[in-house]
Amino acid sequence: MHIDNGGVIGYNIDMKKVNSYTNKLLALSIILSVMFVAGIPMIILGANGRIWAIMWVGIAFTAIGFYGTPIAWSVYGSAHTLKRIVYAVTQEHLYTVHEIAAQLSMRESNVRSQLDRCFAKNFLEGYKREGDAIVLNENVAAGKKQMFAECPYCGAKFTYTADDARCPYCRSPVKK
């Protein structure tokens, strides 16, 4: 996460990765659904008009869509859960399995397995898991360390670096 010149929290690179992944799965799910639906009339029209190529393509579309559509939608649903977990860690700053499970109404065992998938797919770069806690990975050469604070003057919650230890809204200094 970074803070741009206007003091607004920027879009997290981890969210871009997981969004790209879920968008690809959504597109695949829609394509397979359309193939399934389009394949049936192609079979009928191809057989009635004796256009065998259209009929065979319709059979292929129907078979691929019939088997692929439920699988693709299931994988998309699972990926959406990963997206929600990445959001909980990077944007809502929930750093324990217990906090994430409570926020998402999930079992802690499910959160642990989903976190393992997030780390395996590199959706949470810059973080590591230590038991049930998620901490910043100090071994990663990630730019400047960011800290979280609540401004004592205006009450805003924000992130800051040691270089700019001021509230981005009222410019009050942050107590370190």
Side-chain angles (χ1 to χ4, degrees):
M1 192 177 332
H2 69 280
I3 298 177
D4 65 15
N5 292 338
V8 179
I9 296 176
Y11 195 66
N12 193 303
I13 190 73
D14 298 319
M15 288 306 298
K16 287 182 182 177
K17 285 181 182 180
V18 75
N19 279 336
S20 173
Y21 177 69
T22 55
N23 288 343
K24 287 175 187 174
L25 288 174
L26 177 62
L28 176 65
S29 300
I30 291 170
I31 290 168
L32 289 172
S33 297
V34 169
M35 285 175 66
F36 179 53
V37 172
I40 296 168
M42 289 174 74
I43 294 171
I44 296 168
L45 294 174
N48 283 340
R50 297 182 191 261
I51 306 170
W52 306 118
I54 291 178
M55 184 184 83
W56 286 110
V57 169
I59 290 170
F61 275 20
T62 303
I64 292 168
F66 179 80
Y67 291 106
T69 298
I71 294 169
W73 283 110
S74 295
V75 172
Y76 171 72
S78 177
H80 204 282
T81 302
L82 295 179
K83 180 179 176 179
R84 184 62 184 98
I85 287 176
V86 170
Y87 185 84
V89 172
T90 61
Q91 305 298 311
E92 295 175 353
H93 312 296
L94 302 176
Y95 297 120
T96 65
V97 169
H98 178 73
E99 290 174 333
I100 296 169
Q103 179 74 13
L104 303 181
S105 300
M106 294 175 65
R107 290 190 197 131
E108 289 185 10
S109 59
N110 290 349
V111 171
R112 285 183 195 97
S113 66
Q114 296 296 345
L115 278 171
D116 290 341
R117 288 185 61 207
C118 287
F119 284 112
K121 293 185 176 292
N122 290 325
F123 291 154
L124 290 170
E125 284 185 22
Y127 296 94
K128 66 181 178 180
R129 192 165 148 212
E130 293 180 351
D132 279 353
I134 300 162
V135 296
L136 288 175
N137 187 355
E138 299 295 333
N139 294 330
V140 174
K144 299 175 183 172
K145 184 175 179 181
Q146 294 195 341
M147 295 154 273
F148 302 96
E150 183 173 342
C151 181
Y153 301 100
C154 71
K157 294 180 181 178
F158 59 93
T159 59
Y160 67 95
T161 61
D163 294 347
D164 187 21
R166 294 184 170 273
C167 173
Y169 303 101
C170 69
R171 301 305 296 164
S172 301
V174 175
K175 294 179 185 176
K176 296 180 185 180

